Amino acid sequence: MTDVLVSTPLDEARLAFRDELLESGMLVATSVPGIYGRSGDFERIVTGLDTLLGESFASLGATVLRFPPVYPRADFERTDYIASFPDLSGIVSSFEDGDREHRELLAAREDGHAWDGWLKPADVVLTNAICHPLYATLEGTLPEGGSVHDLSGYGFRHEPSNDPMRLQSFRMREFVFAGTPDAAQLYRDTWLDTSVAVLASLGLAVDAVPANDPFFGRAGKMLVSAQLRENLKVEIIVPLYGDLHEGTAIASANCQRDHLTAAFDIRTTDGEIAHGACIAFGMERTALALLRTHGMRLDAWPVDVRALLGL
Ligand code: 5GP
Ligand code: ZN
């Protein structure tokens, strides 16, 4: 990694972990930071974790729903994501014109010029948080007692980084509740405890801490302070680099209040706007935290951890 400028001991520790992952073949680098291929062993960890989470949350009786990694741009508009996180967003563009414009594109490309100006935003965007496509389908009145969904899929966040824990495209497993405000708060708190217990059972040194999102710009600073003040987001963190860093979030438990439910006009049976709450697990981050904690050789992991993950 001689081509990368190393500025702090933490950067150095992250690069050393990245090198270890690449050298062991767990991850395969591409030319873009934060985009990796994953090995068979890495996928075995993710599959084991997916199964364990399904079992741990089974008593929720959640409705299973899977969406592709893109969703309608019209729904993205309603989430307001572009206002809070323009820098993390990703829009899909494609070619929609005729032969003449195609010839112009090819000529520009041939001359070594930018050709993407000939593409136009399509009607889909990359999904940033996998609960957003769900909320878009819940418009109207929820069933009595609210709804619970089990989601899994890829999220995209444009955050190129050499930290192997910060990927641009990664999988999440989410358990999402929508219902009355009290029920949403209770759901978040109850299932946060379950999540901490499941992750601790895998030998991870987890801690639950109040958290804030990287809202963009000056207006975003106010959203950050509200999020912290009202304890809307709790993250489950694991220390990976000793004293150099307090820990990286491998899961989060969110009270979304009426943020998305109002945008999509989702109501409870009493006609009020519902509240949403979600528990989100980062699949790659959790697998990486396990590798950092237990080592690169799965057959040398503690027997109880291997049993829990079916390894
Ligand atoms: P959140 O919506 O809370 O930001 O993200 C949910 C979960 O996705 C986080 O707790 C974390 O486990 C995972 N996650 C968030 N950002 C990243 C990232 O940049 N890389 C990876 N690998 N996982 C992430
Ligand atoms: Zn969510």
Side-chain angles (χ1 to χ4, degrees), residues 34 38 81 128-131 157 159 163-174 213-214 233-236 248-254 256 278-286 288:
R38 287 88 157 150
Y81 197 87
N128 308 99
I130 64 167
C131 56
R157 302 197 189 156
E159 293 185 283
D163 177 3
M165 295 294 272
R166 185 163 299 291
L167 305 179
Q168 295 203 55
S169 183
F170 54 89
R171 281 163 288 184
M172 289 177 255
R173 180 88 181 263
E174 282 206 23
D213 282 322
K233 179 166 185 168
V234 177
E235 278 178 336
I236 303 177
T248 306
I250 58 170
S252 68
N254 299 283
Q256 284 149 333
C278 70
I279 311 278
F281 294 87
M283 303 306 286
E284 282 80 6
R285 273 203 184 166
T286 307
L288 290 165

